[in-house]
Structure formats: structure tokens, C-alpha cells
Amino acid sequence: MLRSTHGGPKPTTCMIFFPTVRLRFCACRDFRVWRMNTARALVVLLLLAVATIDSAQAATFRVEIAAPGALAELLRSNLDLARWSEREDVTEDQLRQLVSTAPQQVRSLLATEGYFSPRVSAELTGDADKRVVHVEVEPGEPVRIASVEFRVRGEIESDPERDARIVRAREAFGLKDGARFRQDDWAAAKQNAVRSLQRKRYAAARVAESRADIDPAAREARLRIELDSGPPFVFGEIEATGLERYPLRIVRNYSPILPGHPYDEEQLLRFQSRLLGSGYFASAVVTGGRDPAQASATPVLVNVVESQARRVELGAGYSTDRGPRYQAGYTDRNTFDRAWRFHSQAKVDRLSEQVLGGLTFPRRQSGWFYGFEGQFNHQDIQGEELTDWNVTGARTYLDERREYQTALQILQEEQSLPAEDDDRKALFLSQAWTWIGLDDQLSPRDGYMARLHVGGASRRAYSDRSFGRIRAKATYFQPVGGFGTLILRAEAGGVIAETRDDIPSAYLFRTGGDTTVRGYALESLGVDEGGAIVGGRYMAVYSVEYVQWLTANWGLAAFYDAGDAVDKWSDYRAAVGYGGGLRWRSPVGALSFDIAHGEETNEMRLHFSVGFAFR
């Protein structure tokens, strides 16, 4: 017996019977009799073997399906006849069984697409290895939805927002009168309606009853669905698993949820996103219980895998502004076993060296966290050599869409110019606000990001000069059609003081380079002083860029940049740069490769950068 282990029609059972051949040996008779009997037996066996092979020989064939485009693809992907045509072990009997069952299978497949009265035929033609199965389909008119009865019952009846919740569930259901009935759409619509209720308050909502009455003759479908909301859910306490080094309060302080809050899946996702962004955890999954018995205080279930506490990082890179760049860093996320995060880093490139280190304390339940950092910087850019050290203490609030920071910085700076040297110092108090509305933090195509930074220093408090400072920056991304992105960028800043003398360069403005005004060297737009370019009191930059995406990750860009930094607004003359380049949405951020022409210098420059720059 031959058995198929691949599904499909049942193979034909083939039993082979061999005739009994009796051979008698006798020493006293002619040997020719024995030889003749043996020859006859071998011939019989050979003929039987050939017949057996012929009867089980594989039947090769191809399938031609005549049906409207989308339906033809459905049949080619799911019809047994089409799938078995690629095999080489199909017997003649199996082929005939596949052909005979094909029409019924076609009707079943078309019914899932709303065609309940099709005309179907399957015919086998040709001989030997030229066999073709012709499947012809006339789907006829599809069944369309004639009516939808949508009801919600349960404790939602006493909800003050009952009507709005039911309207949202009906909109999520989606199916409307006149639409073609498809089984997949019907199943998805029910699931979407239930999920609409489950996302907010009614976590145990379910389909209590559903029915689809199909009238093939009238080509009508009448749908009925009734949902049971179940009880309203309220969040209870946080229950965390996977914690080894860190106490439960580290998890709780990232939660936007308080016991007694109405159940809301968006809050669960925000909680999960915050844990993943905290740096303490390599993975985090946050869910809410769905047991109706715990509806009055459903637990918030958190499962985490802690990140490696200590980490050493080595890196290298390149940019056209700064040339080769090398860096090394060390992080300890559990300093003194108190979840204090220590970080340190050293960077070296063609124009600068930097060493920094700092300590950040765990986030508080209010959302604020505190930290301090010390830095040493040395740079030699456009003829100005600067060496400074600074210590900054900051209080920061950070969530998914905004960041607020209050900081106090003490800075000591040494400036060296071709003509003179100077020392400056300041105690700078600042406040910064950042608003984020991007679809993707690394490679945005839609949304905005804006930042406002204000601060000041007083001669009465350590500083060499009293001054105020304000800086604002915004970037806007607008999708154009299905394959384009328009990027608008504007930045402006000013220092409120009679003169820039005795103000550290860190608080003044220069511009130009890969991420500001392309077509010009890094920070080459500023105030000319003794053959060097130094910072001015005022700065304004604006840019228009369009990216045409050729694929999901590759695109071509054209841009126009303009800007300058000056000591007096009356001296402002925007330097213009324009050109084009290549864009790649890499795993580490957007890669930009640009060629720009600077009108002021009448030179072409190459610009290369990785990542979305917003400083």
C-alpha cells in the first residue's frame, strides 16, 4: 500500500499478486526442461514489474486558472490542484481525484470573498507530460451587506460616556450597508469592535453573539453582533517580576498610572515605553489583568529583564566637519548599589578633545530627576582656540513628548586668538523647554520638534559680565504625497548685553557646517576678529529641504540653507548655501551625503552626517 504524508487526495491502493512458479529439479531428466521453466518465470516477473511501474508512474501537469485577477491569485495560493502541480510524485488516480474535487474547493474559497453563486469547471486535457488542467471561474455578483444590527450590553449602560464609547466601537467595527461581504472582513470587524471597548475601561469585553445570514439568491448578507462590555476596570497596584538589582520603586516611579485610575491601554504602553527608555532594563512588558473578578483593582503586571549594570563602549566615526572621531565611554547604572547612574566619556577628533563624567539619580515619582556633570573641552576652530571646564547641576522632567530642564552651570574659559589671549568665567542659570511630536526619533518623516532655551548670568555672582541669553529652534517634517518629505528648519538666538567682551564663547553664536548652513566650513560664519572667526551676539538660520524617497529607505534630497552670526543685527547678511544629496534611513539614524555650493565663498563642499541633529 502507498501512503501520502503531504495531505491532499487519498492515494489509490495498489496490491500486486505474483503467480506461483514451481520449479522441479530432476537429475535424471533433460536439463533443458529446467532451463525453459526458469526462463518463463523470469519473463513473467519482468512483465509484472513493468506493468507495476507503468501503473504508478507520476503524472506531470500544469494548471491554468481563468478568473478575475485577485481571485485568480487567491486560487493559485490555496487550491490543492495548484499546489500539487509542483510535485513530481502525483499518480494518475491522484490527479483525477484532484480535478474532480477542485470545483467544490473553488466554491469554498470564493465564498470567503463573498461570491456564493459562482460557475466553476475543471477539465483535464493533453497526454503524457503535456497535461493541462483548465480551471474556469465566473464568480458572478458578490453578496453585499444589506443590514447591520450592532448592539452593546452590560455595565456600560450606566457609564456616563456610554454613547461615545458605543459610537467608537461601531466605527471600529467598520462594516457598512452596501459593502461586499468577506469572511476575513467580518472576523476582523468583530475583533476591532471588541478591542475598541477593551482599550479603555472594559478590559473583559467580548462578543456575546454574532450571526451572518447569507441569502445567495438575493446576494444579501444580514449581520448581527452583540457585545458584552463586562464590568468597568480600575487599576490596582503594580506587580513586577524580574527585578534583581533594583527595588520596586525604580519601576513604580516611571509609571503614569496610579491605583484607582480607570483602565487604559495607552497608559500601559506609555509605562512600558518609559521603562525601556530608562536605561535600567533591556526589555519590559507591561499588561493589565482581564479577570472580571479583579475589575475593581486589576493589577498592573510588569515583567522586566535588567540591563547589564556596567558597560564599556568604544566607537569611531567620521564627518566632513570634524574628520575622524574616536570615543570611549564607561557606564555604571547601579553605582554604590543605589541605582545611581554614573557615566563618563572621552572624545577626540580633528578639531577638539572632550572628557566628561557625571552622576544621575533615579527618577522620582513626580517625574523629575536630578544629576550633575563635569566637562573639560579643548577646541581649535576657525583660528579661535578655546579651553574650558564646567560643572553643571540640573533638574529635569522627561516624558514621551516633552522635556523641561532647570540647570546651573559654572564655566571657566581660556581663549587664544592670533592677536591676544583672554580668560572668562560665568555662573549661568538656565531654563529649557523641548516639545517632541515626531513619528520616529531616529529618522522622522512627519511631525515637529521645538526647543526654547533662556538663561543669564550676573556680575554679582561670580561672572565677569552680566548678560541674558535666548535661543529658539524648530524643525517641521511634512509628508508630501506617498514618497516625499518637506523639511523646514529655523533657528535664532541672541545675547542681551552691551558687548560680547568677557562673555564665554560657549554662550555666543557661530554657525555653518553639516547640520546648519551647508556649503560652508564648521562654524565659519561669525565675527571676524584678528584673523579668527569668533562668536557673535546674534544668530539666525533657516533651511528648506525636500526629500524624494525612491524606496522605503533611500531618497534624493534638494536643499536651500541660509544664515549668519553677527554682533549687530544691522550687520546681518545671510550666507546662502544650496545643493543636493543622498539619504539613507539606516538602523542608527538618517544618513545624509550632500554636495553644497556656498555663494559667499563660491566653493563646493561635501557634507556627510548620520542621525537627526537637533541640539
Side-chain angles (χ1 to χ4, degrees), residues 24 40 46 53 55 64 94 158 163 183 233 256 272-273 328 342 346 472-473 489 508 520-521 538 558 565 613:
R24 289 184 289 179
R40 289 174 179 173
L46 180 61
I53 294 172
S55 66
E64 293 183 354
Q94 288 175 328
S158 58
D163 293 341
Q183 186 63 40
F233 276 60
Q272 179 173 292
S273 176
F342 171 78
K473 183 173 183 178
R489 176 169 52 87
L508 299 174
Y520 301 88
Y538 305 104

Side-chain angles (χ1 to χ4, degrees), residues 77-327:
S77 300
N78 296 278
L79 200 59
D80 287 343
L81 188 65
R83 291 189 290 108
W84 280 60
S85 66
E86 300 175 359
R87 296 180 51 165
E88 298 180 354
D89 59 346
V90 182
T91 66
E92 182 70 23
D93 289 337
Q94 288 175 328
L95 174 57
R96 294 187 182 280
Q97 186 176 354
L98 285 167
V99 174
S100 66
T101 59
Q104 183 56 45
Q105 191 178 16
V106 170
R107 293 186 183 94
S108 298
L109 290 170
L110 294 184
T112 65
E113 296 296 310
Y115 298 93
F116 288 85
S117 303
R119 294 182 180 180
V120 184
S121 65
E123 182 182 4
L124 177 63
T125 62
D127 298 319
D129 59 348
K130 296 183 179 180
R131 292 194 168 190
V132 180
V133 180
H134 300 274
V135 179
E136 296 187 3
V137 178
E138 295 181 12
E141 290 297 320
V143 168
R144 297 193 176 275
I145 298 172
S147 65
V148 177
E149 183 181 349
F150 186 92
R151 295 181 58 191
V152 181
R153 72 186 190 198
E155 295 188 38
I156 195 174
E157 292 293 339
S158 58
D159 190 329
E161 300 181 20
R162 169 191 176 278
D163 293 341
R165 295 185 190 278
I166 293 178
V167 166
R168 286 194 293 268
R170 181 63 180 88
E171 291 175 349
F173 180 75
L175 297 184
K176 298 179 180 179
D177 294 358
R180 177 160 64 96
F181 176 83
R182 296 179 66 251
Q183 186 63 40
D184 287 349
D185 292 345
W186 169 232
K190 291 186 286 186
Q191 181 65 21
N192 292 340
V194 170
R195 291 289 296 131
S196 175
L197 293 178
Q198 290 176 341
R199 288 189 184 99
K200 293 184 182 291
R201 295 218 70 180
Y202 298 95
R206 62 184 180 87
V207 177
E209 181 183 349
S210 68
R211 183 182 181 90
D213 294 321
I214 308 297
D215 185 346
R219 298 186 180 87
E220 290 182 348
R222 300 185 181 277
L223 309 182
R224 183 177 186 276
I225 177 173
E226 185 171 301
L227 306 181
D228 185 345
S229 69
F233 276 60
V234 174
F235 284 124
E237 297 292 338
I238 295 172
E239 298 179 5
T241 58
L243 291 173
E244 296 179 2
R245 290 189 295 269
Y246 306 124
L248 180 59
R249 63 179 173 81
I250 297 296
V251 170
R252 285 178 175 165
N253 287 350
Y254 282 94
S255 174
I257 300 167
L258 293 176
H261 280 189
Y263 182 95
D264 188 338
E265 284 191 3
E266 289 185 7
Q267 298 301 315
L268 295 174
L269 292 175
R270 287 182 65 193
F271 189 7
Q272 179 173 292
S273 176
R274 289 181 180 183
L275 291 174
L276 291 172
S278 70
Y280 289 114
F281 307 107
S283 71
V285 178
V286 180
T287 58
R290 296 184 181 275
D291 184 356
Q294 296 180 307
S296 61
T298 189
V300 178
L301 307 175
V302 180
N303 181 265
V304 296
V305 175
E306 295 176 346
S307 298
Q308 187 176 2
R310 297 172 179 83
R311 184 174 181 179
V312 175
E313 294 181 318
L314 300 175
Y318 179 85
S319 73
T320 47
D321 274 345
R322 294 181 175 272
R325 181 183 69 254
Y326 307 96
Q327 65 184 56

Side-chain angles (χ1 to χ4, degrees), residues 380-394:
D380 188 349
I381 301 175
Q382 299 298 325
E384 181 188 42
E385 184 176 358
L386 294 172
T387 301
D388 73 61
W389 61 264
N390 65 77
V391 177
T392 305

Side-chain angles (χ1 to χ4, degrees), residues 520-537:
Y520 301 88
L522 175 66
E523 298 187 357
S524 62
L525 300 176
V527 178
D528 190 340
E529 182 176 313
I533 302 298
V534 301
R537 287 187 295 155

